[in-house]
């Protein structure tokens, strides 16, 4: 009987340990909105992000129906460059959009940095 109880206790400890979530690495969040020249949010714009000391984009994502995007980046001091990539994007109206200036963001630690990407005609 004692042996059976011991097995149940050990099995329970193993189940509790398995239920603990994995420890998440610290991160910062880059959050932004893509705006058209008239101040409306734009859906489906490819957004690229890279560390300022790198030449190529390390992250690529798309703006959602509210024109918003969010990307986790490693926590710690770093500068990031964020820009829209309009290479394959066409407006339903037939008008052509151009990328505005790219945005540089500074991250110090575990924080959220908000920005806007403004497109031009």
């Amino acid at each position: 009987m004692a042996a059976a109880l011991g097995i149940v206790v050990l099995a329970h400890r193993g189940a509790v340990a398995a239920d603990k979530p994995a420890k998440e690495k610290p991160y910062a969040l880059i959050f932004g909105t893509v705006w058209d020249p008239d101040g409306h949010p734009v859906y489906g714009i490819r957004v690229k992000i890279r560390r300022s000391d790198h030449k190529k984009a390390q992250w690529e994502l798309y703006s959602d129906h509210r024109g918003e995007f969010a990307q986790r980046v490693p926590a710690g001091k770093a500068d990031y460059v964020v820009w829209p990539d309009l290479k394959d994007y066409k407006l339903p109206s037939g008008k052509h959009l151009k990328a505005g200036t790219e945005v540089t963001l500074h991250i110090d630690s575990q924080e959220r940095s908000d920005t806007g990407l403004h497109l031009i005609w």
Side-chain angles (χ1 to χ4, degrees):
M1 177 74 158
L5 183 59
I7 291 172
V8 170
V9 169
L10 289 176
H12 178 68
R13 283 187 183 166
V16 170
D19 289 343
K20 287 184 182 179
K23 192 164 188 170
E24 193 171 271
K25 289 184 179 181
Y27 66 90
L29 183 70
I30 294 175
F31 180 88
T33 305
V34 181
W35 303 100
D36 73 11
D38 296 327
H40 300 105
V42 186
Y43 165 73
I45 299 294
R46 183 181 320 175
V47 175
K48 293 186 175 185
I49 302 172
R50 67 174 171 83
R51 283 182 55 121
S52 64
D53 58 346
H54 292 139
K55 295 192 184 269
K56 293 186 178 184
Q58 294 167 272
W59 298 275
E60 194 174 291
L61 55 153
Y62 288 86
S63 60
D64 66 14
H65 285 281
R66 293 177 297 201
E68 298 173 345
F69 61 91
Q71 178 63 52
R72 288 182 179 188
V73 295
K77 288 189 180 216
D79 291 323
Y80 293 90
V81 179
V82 183
W83 72 97
D85 179 2
L86 300 172
K87 187 171 91 176
D88 297 324
Y89 188 80
K90 294 181 184 175
L91 284 172
S93 66
K95 288 186 179 180
H96 295 284
L97 291 172
K98 296 178 187 172
T101 58
E102 58 188 28
V103 176
T104 301
L105 302 170
H106 179 75
I107 300 291
D108 279 317
S109 185
Q110 298 178 48
E111 62 201 68
R112 174 177 158 157
S113 183
D114 291 14
T115 191
L117 299 178
H118 297 271
L119 306 178
I120 56 177
W121 297 122

